[in-house]
Amino acid sequence: MMRLDKYLKVSRLVKRRTLAKEISDQGRITVNGVVAKAGTDVKESDELVIRFGQKVVTIKVTGLSEHATKENAKGMYELIKEEKVSEI
């Protein structure tokens, strides 16, 4: 298992860990349908839904690694869907 904020940084879904912490603490990430905080543990096969401004990305965790190169980082998750959200 790995902390959510660290996973987001290592998998390169978010560039910086501080940014990953901010996003999760704002309630913009759910893990298996439950709103997650930065310290939430993530494990393989978990489903994450991340809201980046106008975009919602749903991914499935396929691997955990303490360090990952740019090439290996893409293997840590599988993109399920990506959709644009319009603010009303």
Side-chain angles (χ1 to χ4, degrees):
M1 286 198 288
M2 181 183 281
R3 281 177 56 106
L4 176 61
D5 56 349
K6 182 166 185 182
Y7 175 79
L8 292 172
K9 183 202 176 295
V10 174
S11 65
R12 296 172 192 238
L13 284 161
V14 177
K15 282 186 170 52
R16 294 188 320 277
R17 190 164 175 178
T18 50
L19 185 62
K21 184 181 184 317
E22 280 176 31
I23 293 171
S24 45
D25 288 345
Q26 290 169 359
R28 290 165 43 185
I29 301 176
T30 60
V31 176
N32 299 324
V34 179
V35 175
K37 292 288 182 200
T40 302
D41 282 326
V42 176
K43 58 190 183 310
E44 285 186 38
S45 80
D46 280 353
E47 187 173 287
L48 276 58
V49 178
I50 310 163
R51 189 164 53 84
F52 299 103
Q54 304 292 316
K55 194 168 69 167
V56 176
V57 178
T58 305
I59 62 147
K60 183 174 186 171
V61 178
T62 56
L64 298 174
S65 173
E66 287 296 313
H67 305 286
T69 62
K70 198 173 185 178
E71 292 74 35
N72 295 354
K74 286 187 173 38
M76 290 179 67
Y77 63 91
E78 174 188 329
L79 184 66
I80 296 172
K81 71 179 175 188
E82 188 174 325
E83 54 196 340
K84 285 202 183 303
V85 178
S86 58
E87 297 288 322
I88 298 171

